[in-house]
Coordinates of all heavy atoms in Angstrom, one line a residue:
M1 N 12.9 34.4 -10.4 CA 13.7 34.1 -9.2 C 13.7 32.6 -9.0 O 14.8 32.0 -9.0 CB 13.1 34.8 -8.0 CG 13.9 34.6 -6.7 SD 13.2 35.8 -5.5 CE 13.4 34.8 -4.1
I2 N 12.6 32.0 -8.8 CA 12.5 30.5 -8.7 C 11.9 30.0 -10.0 O 10.7 30.1 -10.1 CB 11.8 30.1 -7.5 CG1 12.5 30.6 -6.2 CG2 11.6 28.6 -7.4 CD1 11.7 30.3 -4.9
R3 N 12.6 29.4 -10.8 CA 12.1 28.8 -12.0 C 12.5 27.3 -12.1 O 13.6 27.0 -11.8 CB 12.7 29.5 -13.2 CG 12.3 30.9 -13.3 CD 12.8 31.6 -14.6 NE 12.4 33.0 -14.6 CZ 13.0 33.9 -15.4 NH1 13.9 33.5 -16.3 NH2 12.6 35.1 -15.4
P4 N 11.6 26.5 -12.5 CA 11.9 25.1 -12.7 C 12.9 24.9 -13.8 O 12.8 25.5 -14.9 CB 10.6 24.4 -12.9 CG 9.7 25.5 -13.5 CD 10.2 26.7 -12.9
R5 N 13.9 24.0 -13.6 CA 14.9 23.7 -14.6 C 14.7 22.3 -15.1 O 14.6 21.4 -14.3 CB 16.3 24.0 -14.1 CG 16.4 25.4 -13.7 CD 17.8 25.7 -13.3 NE 17.9 27.1 -12.9 CZ 19.0 27.7 -12.8 NH1 20.2 27.1 -13.1 NH2 19.0 29.0 -12.5
I6 N 14.6 22.1 -16.4 CA 14.5 20.8 -17.0 C 15.9 20.2 -17.2 O 16.7 20.9 -17.9 CB 13.6 20.8 -18.3 CG1 12.3 21.4 -18.0 CG2 13.6 19.5 -18.9 CD1 11.4 21.7 -19.2
P7 N 16.2 19.1 -16.7 CA 17.5 18.5 -16.9 C 17.7 18.1 -18.4 O 16.8 17.5 -19.0 CB 17.6 17.3 -16.0 CG 16.2 17.0 -15.7 CD 15.4 18.2 -15.8
V8 N 18.8 18.4 -18.9 CA 19.1 18.0 -20.3 C 20.3 17.1 -20.3 O 21.3 17.5 -19.7 CB 19.3 19.3 -21.2 CG1 19.7 18.9 -22.6 CG2 18.1 20.2 -21.1
N9 N 20.2 16.0 -21.0 CA 21.4 15.1 -21.2 C 22.2 15.6 -22.4 O 21.8 15.4 -23.5 CB 20.9 13.7 -21.3 CG 22.0 12.7 -21.2 OD1 23.2 13.1 -21.1 ND2 21.7 11.4 -21.3
P10 N 23.4 16.1 -22.2 CA 24.1 16.6 -23.3 C 24.6 15.5 -24.3 O 24.8 15.7 -25.5 CB 25.3 17.4 -22.7 CG 25.5 16.8 -21.4 CD 24.1 16.3 -20.9
L11 N 24.9 14.3 -23.7 CA 25.4 13.2 -24.6 C 24.4 12.1 -24.4 O 24.5 11.2 -23.5 CB 26.8 12.8 -24.1 CG 27.9 13.8 -24.2 CD1 29.1 13.3 -23.5 CD2 28.1 14.2 -25.6
P12 N 23.4 12.0 -25.3 CA 22.5 10.8 -25.2 C 23.2 9.5 -25.4 O 24.1 9.4 -26.2 CB 21.4 11.1 -26.3 CG 22.0 12.2 -27.2 CD 23.1 12.8 -26.4
T13 N 22.7 8.5 -24.7 CA 23.4 7.2 -24.8 C 22.8 6.3 -25.9 O 23.5 5.4 -26.4 CB 23.1 6.4 -23.5 OG1 21.7 6.3 -23.3 CG2 23.8 7.2 -22.3
G14 N 21.7 6.6 -26.4 CA 21.1 5.9 -27.5 C 20.3 4.6 -27.0 O 19.8 3.9 -27.8
I15 N 20.3 4.4 -25.7 CA 19.6 3.2 -25.2 C 18.2 3.6 -24.9 O 18.0 4.6 -24.2 CB 20.3 2.7 -23.9 CG1 21.7 2.3 -24.2 CG2 19.5 1.6 -23.3 CD1 22.5 2.0 -23.0
V16 N 17.3 2.9 -25.5 CA 15.9 3.2 -25.3 C 15.3 2.1 -24.5 O 15.3 0.9 -24.9 CB 15.1 3.4 -26.6 CG1 13.6 3.6 -26.4 CG2 15.7 4.5 -27.4
T17 N 14.7 2.4 -23.3 CA 14.0 1.4 -22.5 C 12.6 1.4 -22.8 O 11.9 2.5 -22.6 CB 14.3 1.7 -21.0 OG1 15.7 1.8 -20.8 CG2 13.7 0.6 -20.1
P18 N 12.0 0.3 -23.2 CA 10.5 0.3 -23.5 C 9.8 0.4 -22.2 O 10.2 -0.2 -21.2 CB 10.3 -1.0 -24.2 CG 11.4 -1.9 -23.8 CD 12.6 -1.0 -23.6
L19 N 8.6 1.1 -22.2 CA 7.8 1.2 -21.0 C 7.0 -0.1 -20.8 O 6.7 -0.5 -19.7 CB 6.8 2.4 -21.1 CG 7.5 3.7 -21.2 CD1 6.5 4.8 -21.4 CD2 8.3 4.0 -19.9
I20 N 6.6 -0.8 -21.9 CA 5.8 -2.0 -21.8 C 6.6 -3.1 -22.4 O 7.0 -3.0 -23.5 CB 4.5 -1.8 -22.5 CG1 3.7 -0.7 -21.9 CG2 3.7 -3.1 -22.5 CD1 2.4 -0.3 -22.7
T21 N 6.8 -4.2 -21.6 CA 7.5 -5.3 -22.1 C 6.5 -6.3 -22.6 O 5.4 -6.5 -22.1 CB 8.4 -6.0 -21.0 OG1 7.5 -6.3 -20.0 CG2 9.4 -5.0 -20.6
T22 N 6.8 -7.0 -23.7 CA 5.9 -8.0 -24.3 C 6.4 -9.4 -24.0 O 7.6 -9.6 -23.7 CB 5.7 -7.8 -25.8 OG1 7.1 -7.9 -26.4 CG2 5.2 -6.4 -26.1
A23 N 5.5 -10.4 -24.0 CA 5.9 -11.7 -23.8 C 6.7 -12.2 -25.0 O 6.5 -11.8 -26.2 CB 4.7 -12.6 -23.6
P24 N 7.7 -13.1 -24.8 CA 8.5 -13.6 -25.9 C 7.6 -14.4 -26.9 O 6.7 -15.1 -26.5 CB 9.6 -14.5 -25.2 CG 9.0 -14.9 -23.9 CD 8.1 -13.7 -23.5
A25 N 8.0 -14.4 -28.1 CA 7.2 -15.1 -29.2 C 7.5 -16.6 -29.0 O 8.6 -17.0 -28.6 CB 7.7 -14.7 -30.6
P26 N 6.5 -17.4 -29.2 CA 6.7 -18.9 -29.1 C 7.6 -19.4 -30.2 O 7.7 -18.8 -31.3 CB 5.3 -19.5 -29.3 CG 4.5 -18.4 -30.0 CD 5.1 -17.1 -29.6
A27 N 8.4 -20.4 -29.8 CA 9.3 -21.0 -30.8 C 8.6 -21.7 -31.9 O 7.5 -22.3 -31.7 CB 10.2 -22.0 -30.0
P28 N 9.1 -21.6 -33.1 CA 8.5 -22.2 -34.3 C 8.5 -23.8 -34.1 O 9.5 -24.3 -33.7 CB 9.2 -21.7 -35.5 CG 10.6 -21.3 -34.9 CD 10.3 -20.9 -33.5
V29 N 7.5 -24.4 -34.6 CA 7.4 -25.9 -34.5 C 7.7 -26.4 -35.9 O 7.3 -26.0 -36.9 CB 5.9 -26.3 -34.1 CG1 5.8 -27.8 -34.1 CG2 5.5 -25.6 -32.8
E30 N 8.6 -27.4 -35.8 CA 9.0 -28.1 -37.1 C 7.9 -29.0 -37.6 O 7.3 -29.7 -36.9 CB 10.3 -28.9 -36.9 CG 11.5 -28.1 -36.5 CD 12.7 -29.0 -36.4 OE1 12.7 -30.1 -36.9 OE2 13.7 -28.5 -35.7
Q31 N 7.7 -28.9 -38.9 CA 6.7 -29.8 -39.5 C 7.4 -31.1 -40.0 O 8.5 -31.1 -40.5 CB 6.1 -29.0 -40.8 CG 5.4 -27.8 -40.4 CD 4.2 -28.0 -39.6 OE1 3.5 -29.0 -39.7 NE2 3.9 -27.0 -38.7
H32 N 6.7 -32.2 -39.7 CA 7.2 -33.5 -40.1 C 6.8 -33.8 -41.6 O 5.8 -33.4 -42.0 CB 6.6 -34.6 -39.2 CG 7.1 -34.5 -37.8 ND1 8.4 -34.8 -37.5 CD2 6.5 -34.1 -36.7 CE1 8.6 -34.6 -36.2 NE2 7.5 -34.2 -35.7
H33 N 7.7 -34.4 -42.3 CA 7.5 -34.6 -43.7 C 6.8 -35.9 -43.9 O 6.0 -36.1 -44.9 CB 8.8 -34.6 -44.5 CG 9.9 -35.4 -43.9 ND1 10.0 -36.7 -44.0 CD2 11.0 -34.9 -43.2 CE1 11.1 -37.1 -43.3 NE2 11.7 -36.0 -42.8
A34 N 6.9 -36.9 -43.1 CA 6.2 -38.2 -43.2 C 6.0 -38.8 -41.9 O 6.8 -38.6 -41.0 CB 6.9 -39.1 -44.2
A35 N 5.0 -39.6 -41.8 CA 4.7 -40.2 -40.5 C 5.6 -41.4 -40.2 O 5.9 -41.7 -39.0 CB 3.2 -40.8 -40.4
D36 N 6.1 -42.1 -41.2 CA 7.0 -43.2 -40.9 C 8.4 -43.0 -41.3 O 9.1 -43.9 -41.9 CB 6.4 -44.5 -41.6 CG 6.2 -44.2 -43.1 OD1 6.4 -43.0 -43.5 OD2 6.0 -45.2 -43.8
C37 N 9.0 -41.8 -41.1 CA 10.3 -41.5 -41.5 C 11.3 -42.0 -40.4 O 10.9 -42.3 -39.3 CB 10.5 -40.0 -41.7 SG 10.4 -39.0 -40.2
A38 N 12.6 -42.1 -40.8 CA 13.6 -42.7 -39.9 C 14.3 -41.6 -39.1 O 15.1 -41.9 -38.2 CB 14.6 -43.5 -40.7
C39 N 13.9 -40.4 -39.3 CA 14.6 -39.3 -38.5 C 14.1 -39.2 -37.1 O 13.0 -39.8 -36.8 CB 14.5 -38.0 -39.2 SG 12.8 -37.5 -39.5
H40 N 14.8 -38.6 -36.2 CA 14.5 -38.6 -34.8 C 14.0 -37.2 -34.4 O 14.6 -36.6 -33.5 CB 15.7 -39.1 -34.0 CG 16.1 -40.4 -34.3 ND1 15.5 -41.6 -33.9 CD2 17.2 -40.9 -35.0 CE1 16.1 -42.6 -34.4 NE2 17.2 -42.2 -35.0
H41 N 13.0 -36.7 -34.9 CA 12.4 -35.4 -34.5 C 11.6 -35.6 -33.3 O 11.0 -36.6 -33.1 CB 11.5 -34.9 -35.6 CG 12.2 -34.5 -36.9 ND1 13.0 -33.4 -36.9 CD2 12.3 -35.0 -38.1 CE1 13.5 -33.3 -38.1 NE2 13.1 -34.3 -38.9
T42 N 11.6 -34.6 -32.4 CA 10.8 -34.6 -31.3 C 9.9 -33.4 -31.4 O 10.2 -32.3 -31.7 CB 11.6 -34.5 -30.0 OG1 12.4 -33.3 -30.0 CG2 12.5 -35.7 -29.8
T43 N 8.6 -33.7 -31.0 CA 7.7 -32.6 -31.0 C 7.6 -32.0 -29.6 O 7.5 -32.7 -28.6 CB 6.3 -33.0 -31.5 OG1 5.9 -34.1 -30.6 CG2 6.3 -33.6 -32.9
P44 N 7.6 -30.7 -29.5 CA 7.5 -30.1 -28.2 C 6.1 -30.2 -27.6 O 5.1 -30.3 -28.4 CB 7.8 -28.6 -28.4 CG 7.5 -28.3 -29.9 CD 7.8 -29.6 -30.6
A45 N 6.1 -30.4 -26.3 CA 4.8 -30.6 -25.7 C 4.0 -29.2 -25.7 O 4.6 -28.2 -25.6 CB 5.0 -31.0 -24.2
P46 N 2.7 -29.3 -25.9 CA 1.9 -28.0 -26.0 C 2.0 -27.4 -24.6 O 1.8 -28.0 -23.5 CB 0.5 -28.4 -26.4 CG 0.5 -29.9 -26.0 CD 1.9 -30.4 -26.1
V47 N 2.1 -26.1 -24.6 CA 2.2 -25.3 -23.4 C 0.9 -24.6 -23.1 O 0.3 -24.0 -24.0 CB 3.3 -24.2 -23.4 CG1 3.4 -23.4 -22.2 CG2 4.6 -24.9 -23.7
A48 N 0.3 -24.8 -21.9 CA -1.0 -24.1 -21.6 C -0.8 -22.6 -21.5 O 0.2 -22.2 -20.9 CB -1.5 -24.7 -20.3
P49 N -1.7 -21.8 -22.0 CA -1.5 -20.4 -21.8 C -1.7 -20.0 -20.4 O -2.5 -20.5 -19.6 CB -2.6 -19.8 -22.7 CG -3.6 -20.8 -22.8 CD -2.9 -22.1 -22.7
V50 N -0.9 -19.0 -20.0 CA -0.9 -18.5 -18.6 C -2.0 -17.4 -18.5 O -2.0 -16.5 -19.2 CB 0.5 -17.9 -18.2 CG1 0.4 -17.4 -16.8 CG2 1.6 -19.0 -18.3
T51 N -2.9 -17.6 -17.6 CA -3.9 -16.7 -17.4 C -3.6 -15.8 -16.2 O -3.0 -16.3 -15.2 CB -5.3 -17.3 -17.1 OG1 -5.2 -18.1 -16.0 CG2 -5.7 -18.2 -18.3
S52 N -3.8 -14.5 -16.4 CA -3.5 -13.6 -15.3 C -4.7 -13.5 -14.4 O -5.7 -12.8 -14.8 CB -3.1 -12.2 -15.8 OG -4.1 -11.7 -16.5
G53 N -4.7 -14.1 -13.3 CA -5.8 -14.1 -12.3 C -5.4 -13.4 -11.0 O -4.3 -12.9 -10.9
P54 N -6.2 -13.4 -10.1 CA -5.8 -12.8 -8.8 C -4.7 -13.6 -8.2 O -4.6 -14.8 -8.3 CB -7.1 -12.9 -7.9 CG -7.9 -14.0 -8.6 CD -7.6 -14.0 -10.0
A55 N -3.8 -12.9 -7.5 CA -2.6 -13.5 -6.9 C -3.0 -14.4 -5.7 O -2.4 -15.4 -5.4 CB -1.6 -12.5 -6.5
V56 N -4.0 -13.9 -4.9 CA -4.5 -14.7 -3.8 C -5.9 -15.1 -4.0 O -6.8 -14.2 -4.2 CB -4.4 -13.8 -2.5 CG1 -4.9 -14.5 -1.3 CG2 -2.9 -13.3 -2.3
R57 N -6.2 -16.3 -3.8 CA -7.5 -16.8 -3.9 C -8.0 -17.3 -2.5 O -7.4 -18.1 -1.9 CB -7.6 -18.0 -4.9 CG -7.3 -17.6 -6.3 CD -7.5 -18.7 -7.2 NE -7.1 -18.3 -8.6 CZ -7.1 -19.1 -9.6 NH1 -7.6 -20.3 -9.5 NH2 -6.8 -18.6 -10.8
L58 N -9.1 -16.7 -2.1 CA -9.6 -17.0 -0.8 C -10.9 -17.8 -0.9 O -11.7 -17.5 -1.7 CB -9.9 -15.7 0.0 CG -8.6 -14.9 0.4 CD1 -9.1 -13.6 1.0 CD2 -7.7 -15.6 1.3
S59 N -11.0 -18.7 0.1 CA -12.3 -19.4 0.2 C -13.3 -18.6 0.9 O -12.9 -17.5 1.5 CB -12.1 -20.8 0.9 OG -11.7 -20.5 2.3
P60 N -14.6 -18.9 0.9 CA -15.5 -18.1 1.6 C -15.2 -18.0 3.1 O -15.4 -16.9 3.7 CB -16.9 -18.9 1.4 CG -16.7 -19.6 0.1 CD -15.2 -19.9 0.1
A61 N -14.6 -19.0 3.7 CA -14.2 -18.9 5.1 C -13.1 -18.0 5.3 O -13.0 -17.2 6.3 CB -13.9 -20.3 5.6
G62 N -12.2 -18.0 4.3 CA -11.0 -17.0 4.4 C -11.5 -15.6 4.2 O -11.0 -14.7 4.9
V63 N -12.5 -15.3 3.3 CA -13.0 -14.0 3.2 C -13.7 -13.5 4.5 O -13.5 -12.4 4.9 CB -14.0 -13.9 2.0 CG1 -14.7 -12.6 2.0 CG2 -13.3 -14.2 0.7
L64 N -14.4 -14.5 5.1 CA -15.1 -14.2 6.4 C -14.1 -13.8 7.4 O -14.3 -12.9 8.2 CB -16.0 -15.3 6.8 CG -17.0 -15.1 7.9 CD1 -18.0 -14.0 7.4 CD2 -17.7 -16.3 8.2
A65 N -13.0 -14.6 7.5 CA -11.9 -14.3 8.5 C -11.3 -13.0 8.2 O -11.0 -12.3 9.2 CB -10.9 -15.5 8.4
V66 N -11.0 -12.6 7.0 CA -10.4 -11.3 6.7 C -11.3 -10.2 7.1 O -10.9 -9.2 7.7 CB -10.0 -11.3 5.2 CG1 -9.6 -9.9 4.8 CG2 -8.9 -12.2 4.9
V67 N -12.6 -10.3 6.8 CA -13.6 -9.3 7.1 C -13.7 -9.2 8.6 O -13.7 -8.1 9.2 CB -14.9 -9.6 6.5 CG1 -16.0 -8.7 7.0 CG2 -14.8 -9.4 5.0
G68 N -13.7 -10.3 9.3 CA -13.8 -10.3 10.8 C -12.6 -9.7 11.4 O -12.7 -8.9 12.4
G69 N -11.4 -10.0 10.9 CA -10.2 -9.4 11.4 C -10.1 -7.9 11.2 O -9.7 -7.2 12.0
G70 N -10.6 -7.5 10.0 CA -10.6 -6.0 9.7 C -11.5 -5.3 10.6 O -11.2 -4.2 11.1
A71 N -12.7 -5.9 10.9 CA -13.7 -5.3 11.8 C -13.1 -5.2 13.2 O -13.3 -4.2 13.9 CB -15.0 -6.0 11.8
A72 N -12.4 -6.2 13.6 CA -11.8 -6.2 15.0 C -10.7 -5.1 15.1 O -10.7 -4.4 16.1 CB -11.2 -7.6 15.3
V73 N -9.9 -5.0 14.0 CA -8.9 -3.9 14.1 C -9.5 -2.6 14.1 O -9.1 -1.7 14.9 CB -8.0 -4.1 12.8 CG1 -7.1 -2.8 12.7 CG2 -7.1 -5.3 12.9
V74 N -10.6 -2.3 13.4 CA -11.3 -1.0 13.4 C -11.9 -0.8 14.8 O -11.7 0.4 15.3 CB -12.4 -1.0 12.3 CG1 -13.3 0.2 12.5 CG2 -11.7 -0.9 10.9
L75 N -12.5 -1.8 15.4 CA -13.0 -1.6 16.7 C -12.0 -1.3 17.8 O -12.1 -0.4 18.6 CB -13.9 -2.8 17.1 CG -15.2 -3.0 16.4 CD1 -15.8 -4.3 16.8 CD2 -16.1 -1.8 16.6
V76 N -10.8 -2.0 17.7 CA -9.8 -1.8 18.7 C -9.2 -0.4 18.5 O -9.0 0.3 19.5 CB -8.7 -2.9 18.6 CG1 -7.5 -2.5 19.4 CG2 -9.3 -4.2 19.0
V77 N -8.9 0.0 17.3 CA -8.3 1.3 17.1 C -9.3 2.4 17.5 O -8.9 3.4 18.1 CB -7.9 1.5 15.6 CG1 -7.6 2.9 15.3 CG2 -6.7 0.6 15.3
G78 N -10.6 2.2 17.2 CA -11.6 3.2 17.6 C -11.7 3.3 19.1 O -11.8 4.4 19.7
A79 N -11.6 2.1 19.8 CA -11.7 2.2 21.3 C -10.5 2.9 21.9 O -10.6 3.7 22.8 CB -11.8 0.7 21.8
V80 N -9.3 2.7 21.3 CA -8.1 3.3 21.8 C -8.2 4.8 21.6 O -7.9 5.6 22.5 CB -6.8 2.8 21.1 CG1 -5.6 3.6 21.4 CG2 -6.6 1.3 21.6
L81 N -8.7 5.3 20.4 CA -8.8 6.7 20.1 C -9.8 7.3 21.0 O -9.6 8.5 21.5 CB -9.1 6.9 18.6 CG -8.0 6.6 17.7 CD1 -8.5 6.8 16.2 CD2 -6.8 7.4 17.9
V82 N -10.9 6.7 21.2 CA -11.9 7.3 22.1 C -11.4 7.3 23.6 O -11.7 8.4 24.2 CB -13.2 6.4 22.0 CG1 -14.2 6.8 23.1 CG2 -13.9 6.6 20.7
S83 N -10.7 6.4 24.0 CA -10.2 6.4 25.4 C -9.1 7.5 25.5 O -9.1 8.2 26.6 CB -9.6 5.1 25.8 OG -8.5 4.8 25.0
M84 N -8.3 7.7 24.5 CA -7.4 8.8 24.6 C -8.1 10.2 24.6 O -7.7 11.1 25.3 CB -6.4 8.8 23.4 CG -5.4 7.6 23.5 SD -4.4 7.4 22.0 CE -3.5 8.9 22.0
L85 N -9.1 10.3 23.8 CA -9.9 11.6 23.8 C -10.6 11.8 25.2 O -10.6 12.9 25.7 CB -11.0 11.5 22.7 CG -11.9 12.7 22.6 CD1 -11.1 13.9 22.1 CD2 -13.0 12.5 21.6
L86 N -11.1 10.7 25.7 CA -11.7 10.8 27.1 C -10.7 11.2 28.1 O -11.0 12.0 29.0 CB -12.4 9.5 27.4 CG -13.2 9.4 28.7 CD1 -14.4 10.4 28.6 CD2 -13.7 8.0 28.9
A87 N -9.5 10.6 28.0 CA -8.4 11.0 29.0 C -8.1 12.5 28.9 O -7.9 13.1 29.9 CB -7.2 10.1 28.8
V88 N -8.0 13.0 27.7 CA -7.7 14.4 27.5 C -8.8 15.3 28.0 O -8.6 16.3 28.7 CB -7.4 14.7 26.0 CG1 -7.4 16.2 25.7 CG2 -6.1 14.0 25.6
A89 N -10.1 14.9 27.8 CA -11.2 15.6 28.3 C -11.2 15.6 29.8 O -11.5 16.7 30.4 CB -12.5 15.1 27.7
I90 N -11.0 14.5 30.5 CA -11.0 14.4 31.9 C -9.9 15.3 32.5 O -10.0 16.0 33.5 CB -10.9 13.0 32.4 CG1 -12.2 12.2 32.1 CG2 -10.6 12.9 33.9 CD1 -12.2 10.8 32.3
T91 N -8.7 15.2 31.9 CA -7.6 16.0 32.3 C -7.9 17.5 32.2 O -7.6 18.3 33.2 CB -6.3 15.7 31.5 OG1 -6.1 14.3 31.6 CG2 -5.1 16.4 32.0
G92 N -8.4 17.9 31.1 CA -8.8 19.3 30.9 C -9.8 19.8 32.0 O -9.7 20.9 32.5
A93 N -10.8 18.9 32.2 CA -11.8 19.3 33.2 C -11.2 19.4 34.6 O -11.6 20.3 35.4 CB -13.0 18.3 33.2
S94 N -10.4 18.5 35.0 CA -9.8 18.5 36.3 C -8.8 19.8 36.5 O -8.8 20.4 37.5 CB -9.0 17.3 36.6 OG -7.9 17.1 35.7
V95 N -8.1 20.1 35.4 CA -7.3 21.3 35.5 C -8.2 22.6 35.6 O -7.9 23.5 36.4 CB -6.4 21.4 34.2 CG1 -5.8 22.8 34.1 CG2 -5.3 20.3 34.3
A96 N -9.3 22.6 34.9 CA -10.2 23.7 35.1 C -10.8 23.8 36.5 O -10.9 24.9 37.1 CB -11.4 23.6 34.1
V97 N -11.2 22.7 37.1 CA -11.7 22.7 38.5 C -10.6 23.2 39.4 O -10.9 24.0 40.3 CB -12.2 21.3 38.8 CG1 -12.5 21.2 40.3 CG2 -13.5 21.0 38.0
C98 N -9.4 22.7 39.2 CA -8.3 23.2 40.1 C -8.0 24.7 40.0 O -7.8 25.4 41.0 CB -7.0 22.4 39.8 SG -7.0 20.7 40.3
A99 N -8.1 25.2 38.7 CA -8.0 26.6 38.5 C -9.1 27.4 39.2 O -8.8 28.5 39.9 CB -8.0 26.9 37.0
V100 N -10.3 26.9 39.2 CA -11.4 27.6 39.8 C -11.2 27.6 41.3 O -11.4 28.6 42.0 CB -12.7 27.0 39.4 CG1 -13.9 27.5 40.3 CG2 -13.0 27.3 38.0
V101 N -10.8 26.5 41.9 CA -10.6 26.4 43.3 C -9.5 27.3 43.8 O -9.6 28.0 44.8 CB -10.3 24.9 43.7 CG1 -9.8 24.8 45.2 CG2 -11.6 24.1 43.5
L102 N -8.3 27.3 43.0 CA -7.2 28.2 43.4 C -7.6 29.6 43.3 O -7.2 30.4 44.2 CB -6.0 27.9 42.5 CG -5.2 26.6 42.8 CD1 -4.1 26.4 41.8 CD2 -4.6 26.7 44.2
R103 N -8.4 30.0 42.3 CA -8.8 31.4 42.2 C -9.7 31.8 43.3 O -9.5 32.9 43.9 CB -9.6 31.5 40.8 CG -10.0 32.9 40.6 CD -10.7 33.0 39.2 NE -11.2 34.3 39.0 CZ -12.0 34.6 38.0 NH1 -12.4 33.7 37.2 NH2 -12.5 35.8 37.8
S104 N -10.6 30.9 43.7 CA -11.5 31.3 44.8 C -10.7 31.4 46.1 O -10.9 32.2 47.0 CB -12.6 30.3 45.0 OG -12.1 29.0 45.4
L105 N -9.7 30.5 46.3 CA -8.8 30.6 47.5 C -8.0 31.9 47.6 O -7.9 32.5 48.6 CB -7.9 29.4 47.6 CG -8.6 28.0 48.0 CD1 -7.6 26.9 47.9 CD2 -9.2 28.1 49.4
L106 N -7.5 32.2 46.4 CA -6.6 33.4 46.4 C -7.5 34.7 46.6 O -7.1 35.6 47.2 CB -5.9 33.5 45.1 CG -4.7 32.5 44.9 CD1 -4.1 32.6 43.5 CD2 -3.7 32.7 46.0
N107 N -8.7 34.7 46.0 CA -9.6 35.8 46.1 C -10.1 36.0 47.6 O -10.2 37.1 48.1 CB -10.8 35.8 45.2 CG -10.4 36.1 43.8 OD1 -9.4 36.8 43.6 ND2 -11.2 35.7 42.9
D108 N -10.3 34.9 48.3 CA -10.8 34.9 49.7 C -9.6 35.5 50.6 O -9.9 36.2 51.5 CB -11.2 33.6 50.2 CG -12.6 33.1 49.6 OD1 -13.3 34.0 49.2 OD2 -12.9 31.9 49.7
S109 N -8.4 35.1 50.3 CA -7.3 35.5 51.1 C -7.0 37.0 50.9 O -6.6 37.7 51.8 CB -6.0 34.7 50.9 OG -5.6 35.0 49.5
R110 N -7.3 37.6 49.8 CA -7.1 39.0 49.5 C -8.1 39.8 50.1 O -7.9 41.0 50.5 CB -7.1 39.2 48.0 CG -5.8 38.8 47.3 CD -5.9 39.1 45.8 NE -4.7 38.5 45.1 CZ -4.7 38.3 43.8 NH1 -5.6 38.7 43.1 NH2 -3.6 37.8 43.3
K111 N -9.3 39.3 50.3 CA -10.4 40.1 50.9 C -10.3 40.2 52.4 O -10.8 41.1 53.0 CB -11.8 39.4 50.6 CG -12.2 39.6 49.1 CD -13.5 39.0 48.8 CE -13.9 39.1 47.4 NZ -15.1 38.4 47.1
R112 N -9.6 39.3 53.0 CA -9.5 39.3 54.5 C -8.4 40.2 55.0 O -7.6 40.7 54.6 CB -9.2 37.9 55.0 CG -10.4 37.0 54.8 CD -10.2 35.7 55.4 NE -11.3 34.8 55.0 CZ -11.3 33.6 55.3 NH1 -10.4 33.0 56.0 NH2 -12.4 32.8 55.0

């Protein structure tokens, strides 16, 4: 009745997208044939390799500020949730007290 269907492409496009892209190969460097030649070759400047490090670097004071901010957010959210729970509990208790008072008033009026 309910069976999963696998989509099938009837006309494949032939385009294959690689999952992992690689860095481009460095350009080949021309070798000079003599130190005192008259040709005007230029040597490319050496490129420093790119290191993959963390995107954001924090100083110790920054880490302390982030930890303090996170702790403040947790405390504020906790206080809000506890106050909401307390409000629900107080409302429930007051409704229960009202129900008991009304019940006692109605029972007294029926007995008389």
Side-chain angles (χ1 to χ4, degrees):
M1 187 168 142
I2 297 176
R3 293 183 183 169
R5 297 186 182 196
I6 300 172
V8 177
N9 190 0
L11 299 171
T13 59
I15 299 172
V16 177
T17 305
L19 295 177
I20 300 173
T21 58
T22 59
V29 179
E30 293 181 21
Q31 298 293 329
H32 293 287
H33 46 78
D36 55 349
C37 68
C39 57
H40 301 285
H41 292 287
T42 58
T43 58
V47 178
V50 177
T51 59
S52 61
V56 177
R57 294 185 182 180
L58 294 175
S59 65
V63 171
L64 193 62
V66 169
V67 170
V73 167
V74 167
L75 289 176
V76 168
V77 169
V80 168
L81 291 177
V82 167
S83 64
M84 289 173 66
L85 180 65
L86 187 62
V88 169
I90 290 173
T91 304
S94 65
V95 167
V97 168
C98 290
V100 168
V101 169
L102 283 174
R103 183 178 174 191
S104 67
L105 287 175
L106 289 175
N107 283 338
D108 284 344
S109 66
R110 286 184 188 162
K111 290 180 181 177
R112 290 182 187 177

